[in-house]
Amino acid sequence: MSTLIKNGRIITAEQDYIADIYIEKDKVTLIGENLKNQADKVIDAKNKYVIPGGIDVHTHLDMPFGGTTSIDDFESGTKAAAFGGTTCLIDFAIQAKGTRIRDALDIWWEKAQGKATIDYGLHMIITDLPDAHMEDMSDMVNEGVTSFKLFMAYPDVLMVDDATIYKTMKHTSKTGALVCMHAENGSVIDLIVQKALAEGKTAPIYHALTRPTTAEGEAVNRSIALAEMAGAPVYIVHLSSNDALEKVAEARDRGLPVYAETCPQYLFLSLDDMGKDGFEDAKLVFTPPLREKWHQDKLWAGLQKNTLQIVSTDHCPFCYKEQKELGIDDFTKIPNGGPGIEHRLQLLFEGGVNEGRFSVNRWVELISTSPAKMFGLYPRKGTIAVGSDADIVIWDPEFEHTISVHSHHMRVDYSMFEGKKIKGNAETVLSRGEVIVENKKFLGKTGRGNFLKRDAYAGAWD
Ligand code: URP
Ligand code: ZN
Ligand code: ZN
């Protein structure tokens, strides 16, 4: 199979030019002006942007959490991702306490194989790491699982202590793997939560009000200190507040290999979107929670200055009916997480490019190139170059639409961004040379996505 993409404006993190792209099988084999190669399929991309497919490095598909399971599995979640121009994701496998991390890897392969419609990698969430099992982490790296998430929140469920964090980081400093940190001071938050419940404060808004920004800032600071002592890099996930951002900025100014992502919900939503509708707020219960609105400008500035390198979604969808409703009498029982896998590129294009905050190149860098570099996929993915996988999105910058539960492809029964008007959308999506979205239809086969063995964190990249 060969494909010729004609006349498109090719945008990578570094370049912006008009040319044709020739694809043979799954790879880009030629880029140039007025290519005359015979092709099985020709796509006219005149007046369109041609970008590397989006890479979402933070998703939770088919994940057991809070007494239920996230509602998108690897089939529905990857399809929704593709409609939004994401052609690769990295999901989180979770080690159940008392089991080996190898078991979790097998469970997540089982979930993904035969279902994923785009390529996927896995991070491993470590919940318990006895000394006798430390070497399991090296096995993971050999399997291409080169990043480990640790939780400083959710005591008794997912949280690990500082010694475990330090030991894990010491190990990654030798293997080149990367620790992804959920940074919130879980022990203190738990005390604040218990006090709120004792006072009868059970509504969803109290999820947000019991998780102060200082609890995030403190944990980010501590994780950076632990990483510095261990001589390891650290990647802060779903950073939500200025308190946390300042700690990352300070560390980076000192030259430490400290990185961070934020997510669209923290850039577009705030506490102002909660507190009006009683239990409807449960739709916006995720962790870290929404913050006061002024934090948004700080996060956008962080993206502009490269204090934040990546925007991921933390897609962790639970339906309002029956799933979020588990916490109708007690906010601590609301499964934490929100849906967003489909709208990351659109939202970042709207808030970043259309609203004049950064260039189209920076947009591509945030949603594709930096994720590929950070997580050992570059240059196979994250760029458009001869030899790279032909994961390519034809982006229509003029397409106007309104985000809504009535038109999205995620399985969840609400949208966090309901009614938001957007200009710009993925028109045609190729994954390894195969057109998987065209004319608003999904054309890819279920199960066609491959597991990606990722390289270890490159270290030298900033
Ligand atoms: O509320 C969230 N973010 N749920 C997913 C799990 C996590 O902490 O990333
Ligand atoms: Zn987390
Ligand atoms: Zn998450």
Side-chain angles (χ1 to χ4, degrees):
M1 174 76 188
S2 57
T3 305
L4 185 59
I5 303 174
K6 298 280 299 170
N7 309 315
R9 181 171 158 196
I10 300 173
I11 296 165
T12 66
E14 299 89 17
Q15 288 182 298
D16 183 345
Y17 60 107
I18 296 192
D20 301 341
I21 300 171
Y22 189 62
I23 298 162
E24 286 173 280
K25 297 197 182 117
D26 54 348
K27 301 272 186 216
V28 172
T29 54
L30 197 60
I31 302 174
E33 283 179 26
N34 295 316
L35 296 183
K36 300 273 182 275
N37 303 52
Q38 288 298 317
D40 300 318
K41 184 175 174 75
V42 178
I43 300 171
D44 183 11
K46 195 168 169 25
N47 299 326
K48 306 283 155 64
Y49 298 170
V50 181
I51 61 167
I55 301 176
D56 190 347
V57 299
H58 191 150
T59 68
H60 302 279
L61 300 174
D62 199 2
M63 183 182 79
F65 197 45
T68 182
T69 302
S70 61
I71 196 75
D72 273 319
D73 63 11
F74 275 81
E75 182 177 2
S76 64
T78 55
K79 275 189 188 165
F83 273 109
T86 288
T87 54
C88 174
L89 56 80
I90 309 182
D91 200 76
F92 287 90
I94 307 188
Q95 175 200 25
K97 273 204 165 109
T99 68
R100 305 292 282 257
I101 52 180
R102 170 79 237 181
D103 302 329
L105 184 60
D106 289 338
I107 291 168
W108 255 260
W109 273 343
E110 190 70 24
K111 287 174 189 280
Q113 278 166 10
K115 286 200 165 179
T117 65
I118 59 173
D119 292 350
Y120 62 95
L122 292 171
H123 313 276
M124 180 59 64
I125 293 175
I126 295 178
T127 56
D128 139 37
L129 193 65
D131 284 346
H133 297 172
M134 287 300 285
E135 278 316 302
D136 290 2
M137 288 173 64
S138 306
D139 298 343
M140 286 299 110
V141 173
N142 293 334
E143 298 274 13
V145 177
T146 53
S147 39
F148 299 94
K149 183 175 179 185
L150 299 175
F151 281 82
M152 300 170 95
Y154 302 118
D156 304 324
V157 187
L158 298 165
M159 188 169 112
V160 289
D161 61 12
D162 289 354
T164 304
I165 295 171
Y166 176 74
K167 279 193 291 182
T168 307
M169 287 174 163
K170 260 295 201 217
H171 197 276
T172 59
S173 75
K174 295 189 198 96
T175 59
L178 185 60
V179 167
C180 303
M181 191 63 77
H182 179 128
E184 285 184 299
N185 187 319
S187 313
V188 172
I189 286 171
D190 223 32
L191 293 176
I192 302 173
V193 166
Q194 293 318 319
K195 180 169 181 292
L197 289 177
E199 290 167 358
K201 295 171 176 165
T202 58
I205 184 75
Y206 290 104
H207 172 79
L209 300 181
T210 53
R211 306 184 89 89
T213 54
T214 36
E216 188 182 19
E218 183 281 325
V220 167
N221 199 37
R222 184 158 33 104
S223 67
I224 292 169
L226 292 167
E228 189 174 5
M229 284 189 271
V234 63
Y235 177 84
I236 310 296
V237 295
H238 47 45
L239 186 146
S240 68
S241 68
N242 188 51
D243 308 46
L245 187 71
E246 281 180 347
K247 305 297 178 197
V248 172
E250 276 167 24
R252 289 176 61 79
D253 284 349
R254 287 202 290 125
L256 293 174
V258 172
Y259 310 100
E261 64 177 23
T262 190
C263 312
Q265 49 273 35
Y266 304 118
L267 295 165
F268 289 91
L269 301 172
S270 73
L271 278 175
D272 293 356
D273 296 293
M274 299 184 82
K276 304 178 200 87
D277 305 308
F279 194 70
E280 286 265 317
D281 284 346
K283 294 175 179 174
L284 300 180
V285 166
F286 39 76
T287 312
L290 290 176
R291 305 304 193 181
E292 288 173 13
K293 200 166 169 56
W294 64 270
H295 290 268
Q296 291 176 355
D297 285 343
K298 301 288 182 182
L299 297 179
W300 281 111
L303 293 173
Q304 288 167 325
K305 292 184 201 145
N306 203 38
T307 310
L308 301 169
Q309 298 78 38
I310 289 178
V311 177
S312 68
T313 60
D314 193 8
H315 178 73
C316 188
F318 298 103
C319 284
Y320 180 65
K321 286 268 154 227
E322 293 181 15
Q323 293 192 297
K324 291 287 187 182
E325 281 179 353
L326 290 169
I328 196 122
D329 298 320
D330 174 351
F331 71 88
T332 65
K333 300 204 165 57
I334 300 170
N336 288 197
I341 204 165
E342 190 166 344
H343 300 301
R344 182 179 61 116
L345 272 63
Q346 300 163 4
L347 286 163
L348 256 280
F349 190 76
E350 183 64 28
V353 179
N354 292 343
E355 291 179 18
R357 289 189 175 94
F358 45 70
S359 68
V360 278
N361 305 91
R362 179 62 177 158
W363 170 62
V364 167
E365 190 168 40
L366 289 166
I367 52 94
S368 179
T369 312
S370 293
K373 287 182 174 174
M374 187 79 71
F375 289 99
L377 293 168
Y378 189 84
R380 179 171 164 193
K381 299 198 185 280
T383 191
I384 297 179
V386 171
S388 294
D389 282 359
D391 287 7
I392 292 178
V393 173
I394 318 293
W395 184 265
D396 181 353
E398 298 302 326
F399 185 87
E400 293 188 30
H401 66 124
T402 304
I403 295 178
S404 174
V405 63
H406 303 297
S407 51
H408 75 204
H409 301 85
M410 300 177 286
R411 215 177 250 167
V412 65
D413 62 358
Y414 72 96
S415 171
M416 293 199 288
F417 306 104
E418 186 68 40
K420 173 128 189 87
K421 288 190 170 39
I422 295 285
K423 196 165 154 195
N425 197 13
E427 184 179 87
T428 305
V429 179
L430 288 86
S431 163
R432 277 181 284 103
E434 192 184 326
V435 174
I436 58 168
V437 174
E438 194 174 44
N439 299 326
K440 304 196 170 24
K441 289 209 169 52
F442 189 80
L443 306 178
K445 264 217 196 88
T446 298
R448 61 169 296 288
N450 287 342
F451 171 70
L452 296 166
K453 275 187 132 184
R454 294 181 291 117
D455 296 333
Y457 156 81
W461 177 71
D462 196 31

